[in-house]
Amino acid sequence: MLFPAEMKSVTIVTHDVYREKVISTLHEAGIMEITSVQDSKSEVSATLEPGESHPLAGKCAEYELRVSRVLDALKGFQESKESLLKQFLSPEPVAKTPVEERMPNQLFNEAESVLEKAERAISVQDELAGIGEGIDALRTQRISIELLVPFDFDLGYLGESKYLYIVAGTVRVGDYELFIQTLSAIEDILLLKRQIGELYAVVIAVPASAREELDDILRGRIFNAIKIEHPEGKPSKRLTQIDDEIKGLESRKKGLFKELKTIHGKWNKKLLVLQEELEIEKERMESPSNFGKTVNTSVIEAWVPAKSVDELKRLCDDASDGHTFYESREPEAAPEEIPIKYDNPSWLRPFEILTKMFGHPKYDDVDPTIFLGPILVIFFGLMLGDAIYGLIIFLVGYLLYRGVGKLSESMHDMSIILMAIGISTIVLGAIQGSYCGDIFPRFLGMNSPFMLIDPLREPKKVLQIALIIGIIHLNLGLSLAALQNIRRRKYRGALHDQISMFIIQPCAAILILDFFKWAAITPSLKTVGGVGMLIGVVLIALKEGPLGVFGLTGFVGNWLSYARILALALATTGIAMTINILVELIMNGHSAMIVLAAFVFVFGQIFNCVLQALGAFVHSLRLHYVEFFGQFYSGDGKYFIPFKSIRRYTKLKT
Amino acid sequence: MVELEIGLVGLGIAIIGSGIAIAGSGIGQGISASAAVGATAEKPETFGKNMVFAVLPETQAIYGLLIAILMMVGMGVI
């Protein structure tokens, strides 16, 4: 709990006859992380040939890719969709399909037969994409042709004929004078114009011999040429044709949507099962590339939690009828190279995500989750500090726990965190006497129940509490740093970095109390304080040099940072109170305004709750990541990634 | 009367001082948080460490608040 789980380094040697069985057994068990024998620094690895992936691994990857492409094409085409709210609050559990271990070729044959029918979805998607582009192009054409409707001429005349060259385009009204001047260079010219809003639609006809001259003049920013594909018939007739074409394409699109829905209904579940089976098979087939090889055996090196060592041995023996050599030993690698597995009780596991967000502990580091979880819950409650907001957060957490939390591990963890911080906020909010701010005294004319301290009236007291919490929290961090140093036998580090701070803090307190005359300090105690301070400073300076003493100001800065607990408590209550004052003002205006007042109250309080909850969470996290972790934690560890089959849609028949 | 005026001036100075500290902190945090958001978009697993850099300038706002409180305590406003 205080440290990550103990790990062992294991070597498994199995005869190749049993290799596939051993791999699949270990893959289903998911208790070890395979490491590459070639990268290993052990003496044995140098004598081994590098292992190779299964010869069918490429084919397996190819089938998996094809299945994934079909699933992508079918995404979003299920017949009936559940609403997002229902998916969150009461999601349907995924019915797992029972499957058996199969030979790769059997799996490929099944994949082939399913893909034969379901791959039609990809061509349907391609056709849909083509139709979408076609409709867009027709709509663009329609806009261009609409500009030419007032001229009522056959669009086939556009372009060059034996005697004439005709072009159409638009010119902005403001540019028209300039445009006419540029055209004056051509002697024989016919120009028709119609104003459409800010634009002139113009049609220009010149003798075919003047084409190049006209094109030169029109090249530029003033004239915007209208280009029409298949220019035939009068504009109004062409518009009708385009509308018909769009209608035809839309109808085809509907038909294709229907076809995709049918394919989805018939094949989607099967494809998901196949994809999962192929993924698992591919992972197994690729795993031997990390093994070492002799003529008839395969050598596997792996990390395994000490608790699972016996189980791993039993699984290997069962899978190979005892034809496996097995050795487990203490890890010899550097702590940052050993993968870590968290070893926390179930109630603490949801908070591991907060440690992971910063970085995993190294193998010999303290796992800070045991401190981070409970203390973050308290900090959050102090900062948000409103009983009704706490109740809202608790209820949201409970709904998630009963709903999507049952299916998703991350949502389950989040729901537990929400419920914990919700309860903490209810209790600490009641102690601070805040229920959506000051609704009890303001609207009900009575004191807030259970109130022990009011941050708005007694900020000094809250500040003192915040700073006391801060110094305890920082010293907890320093103690953990000292513990780590002592475990690593870095006694000098512990003396200069942490013990010096333990000496300096009480001595500095004595000197400060005496300086500001806040307490009567006896001369002998003052001398002890001065000497202690000197010893502490010298201890730091000996290791870090004279500039290291400035680290003390950093420590003071970290300590003062805990004043944010007061700042956030004040902000929540202050804004909630402002909303209540607004509501009171509206209610006092007219009795009919009560509806508006209710709306302002509900909307304002929810807004404040969301905003302040976000702030309280980020600031609680910050006090851990910056101030607390700064004392002892680097988060440079490597996470244990087991060789494990992930089954969301299938379950293996036993 | 004179004491009240001095008190109000002091309160005003405390508010202005706190405001300047908070505004400066806000600007600093804006700069560092935008970089942190960019870095997190590139590498989501570095969120925790990016957040540390993003929130560092925030401490100056807390100092502003503290000094304001200390001034108000010193002047007997609270």
Side-chain angles (χ1 to χ4, degrees):
Chain A
M1 194 157 68
L2 191 57
F3 292 93
E6 190 188 344
M7 300 297 278
K8 296 276 184 189
S9 172
V10 296
T11 302
I12 301 163
V13 185
T14 185
H15 195 278
D16 283 343
V17 172
Y18 302 103
R19 192 177 78 170
E20 309 308 327
K21 183 86 188 293
V22 168
I23 290 175
S24 61
T25 306
L26 296 179
H27 199 219
E28 288 303 325
I31 52 174
M32 64 170 202
E33 178 180 324
I34 296 176
T35 55
S36 168
V37 172
Q38 279 72 55
D39 297 342
S40 150
K41 287 161 191 154
S42 66
E43 287 173 20
V44 186
S45 66
T47 63
L48 298 170
E49 289 291 316
E52 282 176 5
S53 297
H54 193 286
L56 291 173
K59 197 171 177 186
C60 188
E62 196 184 304
Y63 275 115
E64 195 222 337
L65 187 70
R66 282 174 65 190
V67 170
S68 300
R69 282 188 61 209
V70 177
L71 281 168
D72 279 345
L74 291 175
K75 209 170 268 177
F77 284 96
Q78 61 261 49
E79 279 291 350
S80 61
K81 277 191 208 167
E82 283 183 345
S83 73
L84 205 62
L85 196 65
K86 189 164 184 292
Q87 280 178 35
F88 245 74
L89 300 180
S90 143
E92 288 282 324
V94 178
K96 293 192 175 184
T97 308
V99 292
E100 286 175 338
E101 292 279 4
R102 286 186 281 183
M103 296 300 288
N105 278 326
Q106 283 177 303
L107 184 61
F108 299 159
N109 287 342
E110 191 187 337
E112 191 61 58
S113 72
V114 171
L115 284 168
E116 206 172 281
K117 288 139 195 159
E119 260 178 346
R120 161 80 185 136
I122 294 173
S123 45
V124 171
Q125 270 291 10
D126 290 345
E127 195 179 340
L128 271 173
I131 288 174
E133 282 170 19
I135 291 174
D136 286 347
L138 284 171
R139 285 193 176 135
T140 314
Q141 279 287 294
R142 201 183 188 291
I143 292 166
S144 301
I145 293 170
E146 264 179 343
L147 295 170
L148 301 179
V149 170
F151 299 104
D152 197 33
F153 71 103
D154 194 318
L155 296 170
Y157 294 151
L158 286 172
E160 191 172 356
S161 58
K162 194 173 178 186
Y163 302 107
L164 284 175
Y165 176 57
I166 303 176
V167 288
T170 56
V171 178
R172 288 200 309 184
V173 172
D175 295 334
Y176 189 71
E177 286 298 321
L178 183 64
F179 177 62
I180 292 296
Q181 280 174 24
T182 55
L183 288 178
S184 58
I186 303 174
E187 281 180 16
D188 299 323
I189 186 164
L190 173 70
L191 187 143
L192 301 173
K193 75 169 195 299
R194 298 283 186 279
Q195 188 169 356
I196 303 163
E198 295 281 301
L199 294 174
Y200 278 124
V202 293
V203 177
I204 304 165
V206 292
S209 57
R211 175 184 178 155
E212 277 182 23
E213 198 180 352
L214 181 66
D215 281 344
D216 284 345
I217 291 170
L218 297 181
R219 205 172 289 129
R221 288 183 186 174
I222 295 178
F223 181 78
N224 197 2
I226 294 173
K227 292 193 177 88
I228 293 167
E229 284 169 31
H230 318 298
E232 286 164 13
K234 292 195 171 175
S236 50
K237 195 182 161 198
R238 181 71 191 125
L239 283 180
T240 317
Q241 281 173 354
I242 286 178
D243 287 344
D244 289 345
E245 280 173 45
I246 290 177
K247 215 180 273 176
L249 288 173
E250 293 282 9
S251 147
R252 175 76 185 140
K253 202 168 144 184
K254 265 187 201 162
L256 293 173
F257 275 174
K258 207 172 164 189
E259 191 177 351
L260 276 178
K261 279 185 179 176
T262 312
I263 298 173
H264 186 284
K266 203 168 175 187
W267 296 110
N268 196 62
K269 195 175 171 195
K270 186 75 205 158
L271 285 163
L272 286 169
V273 170
L274 262 178
Q275 186 188 37
E276 193 161 282
E277 284 188 280
L278 286 163
E279 267 172 12
I280 290 170
E281 195 58 49
K282 188 179 86 170
E283 205 173 327
R284 287 177 187 175
M285 286 177 162
E286 286 173 351
S287 64
S289 62
N290 288 310
F291 299 172
K293 278 284 298 162
T294 65
V295 179
N296 290 313
T297 66
S298 291
V299 180
I300 306 169
E301 290 198 338
W303 292 108
V304 60
K307 279 181 193 168
S308 308
V309 164
D310 292 340
E311 189 191 348
L312 185 65
K313 183 171 182 343
R314 185 183 57 76
L315 287 170
C316 289
D317 283 341
D318 288 353
S320 64
D321 293 333
H323 293 87
T324 302
F325 167 81
Y326 182 91
E327 185 195 54
S328 77
R329 54 195 177 277
E330 289 299 322
E332 287 160 8
E336 54 272 16
E337 286 173 20
I338 303 169
I340 67 103
K341 187 170 186 284
Y342 292 89
D343 186 22
N344 289 311
S346 57
W347 63 268
L348 193 59
R349 250 171 250 153
F351 294 94
E352 284 171 2
I353 180 74
L354 302 174
T355 307
K356 288 175 190 169
M357 268 159 62
F358 185 85
H360 306 289
K362 283 189 285 191
Y363 185 61
D364 62 347
D365 271 353
V366 165
D367 170 9
T369 316
I370 179 71
F371 305 104
L372 193 156
I375 300 174
L376 182 125
V377 168
I378 296 169
F379 281 4
F380 184 91
L382 279 170
M383 289 186 192
L384 188 58
D386 188 288
I388 296 179
Y389 292 176
L391 187 64
I392 294 171
I393 292 171
F394 175 80
L395 288 176
V396 171
Y398 181 70
L399 288 174
L400 286 182
Y401 180 76
R402 293 293 306 273
V404 74
K406 281 184 183 163
L407 300 186
S408 152
E409 204 179 327
S410 60
M411 291 310 279
H412 171 266
D413 290 354
M414 195 177 148
S415 68
I416 301 273
I417 294 175
L418 284 175
M419 284 195 284
I421 59 177
I423 292 170
S424 152
T425 312
I426 292 171
V427 174
L428 293 165
I431 288 173
Q432 293 177 49
S434 183
Y435 298 81
C436 281
D438 56 350
I439 54 168
F440 276 97
R442 187 169 297 279
F443 297 116
L444 305 172
M446 59 189 278
N447 285 333
S448 301
F450 313 113
M451 184 167 80
L452 296 179
I453 186 169
D454 181 355
L456 282 177
R457 291 212 175 80
E458 302 162 288
K460 255 197 305 184
K461 207 185 263 182
V462 181
L463 181 61
Q464 283 164 354
I465 295 171
L467 292 178
I468 290 169
I469 291 172
I471 203 73
I472 295 171
H473 201 215
L474 286 175
N475 277 289
L476 177 64
L478 281 174
S479 307
L480 294 173
L483 174 69
Q484 282 182 170
N485 274 334
I486 291 165
R487 271 188 99 219
R488 291 168 187 156
R489 299 178 196 284
K490 292 179 177 173
Y491 302 114
R492 279 175 65 87
L495 178 71
H496 291 289
D497 295 335
Q498 287 92 41
I499 295 172
S500 61
M501 291 304 295
F502 292 141
I503 298 170
I504 286 173
Q505 288 175 72
C507 295
I510 292 168
L511 296 178
I512 290 168
L513 286 174
D514 180 61
F515 182 79
F516 288 105
K517 307 287 179 221
W518 286 337
I521 305 291
T522 60
S524 56
L525 194 59
K526 208 168 124 182
T527 314
V528 170
V531 172
M533 188 79 192
L534 192 66
I535 292 172
V537 168
V538 169
L539 280 174
I540 293 175
L542 278 176
K543 187 178 177 221
E544 307 284 342
L547 288 178
V549 180
F550 286 104
L552 284 175
T553 57
F555 187 81
V556 175
N558 284 342
W559 180 38
L560 294 180
S561 186
Y562 286 81
R564 75 189 59 240
I565 293 176
L566 160 73
L568 274 112
L570 281 177
T572 312
T573 318
I575 296 175
M577 203 173 79
T578 313
I579 294 162
N580 293 340
I581 293 170
L582 278 175
V583 170
E584 202 176 27
L585 284 173
I586 297 168
M587 275 167 64
N588 291 341
H590 191 275
S591 57
M593 298 292 267
I594 197 149
V595 179
L596 180 64
F599 174 77
V600 171
F601 181 79
V602 172
F603 181 77
Q605 295 292 354
I606 290 175
F607 173 76
N608 191 33
C609 176
V610 172
L611 199 71
Q612 299 298 337
L614 197 66
F617 193 78
V618 170
H619 284 271
S620 307
L621 212 53
R622 175 231 149 95
L623 283 177
H624 282 89
Y625 285 179
V626 182
E627 279 77 15
F628 185 55
F629 283 3
Q631 310 302 323
F632 70 99
Y633 190 66
S634 63
D636 292 332
K638 201 175 102 182
Y639 191 50
F640 174 74
I641 303 167
F643 177 60
K644 183 181 181 183
S645 58
I646 297 168
R647 294 188 181 274
R648 282 165 296 171
Y649 303 102
T650 62
K651 61 179 174 191
L652 199 59
K653 279 187 198 167
T654 49
Chain B
M1 191 65 190
V2 176
E3 273 180 17
L4 179 69
E5 275 180 16
I6 292 174
L8 283 175
V9 169
L11 184 63
I13 292 173
I15 292 169
I16 292 169
S18 177
I20 292 171
I22 291 164
S25 165
I27 293 167
Q29 193 161 16
I31 297 166
S32 58
S34 63
V37 168
T40 308
E42 287 276 325
K43 273 185 127 184
E45 65 273 17
T46 60
F47 167 78
K49 284 174 186 166
N50 294 337
M51 195 183 110
V52 170
F53 293 112
V55 299
L56 277 182
E58 204 177 69
T59 312
Q60 275 51 259
I62 302 292
Y63 292 163
L65 172 80
L66 276 178
I67 298 296
I69 289 175
L70 289 176
M71 282 178 77
M72 287 192 278
V73 169
M75 289 176 299
V77 178
I78 54 170

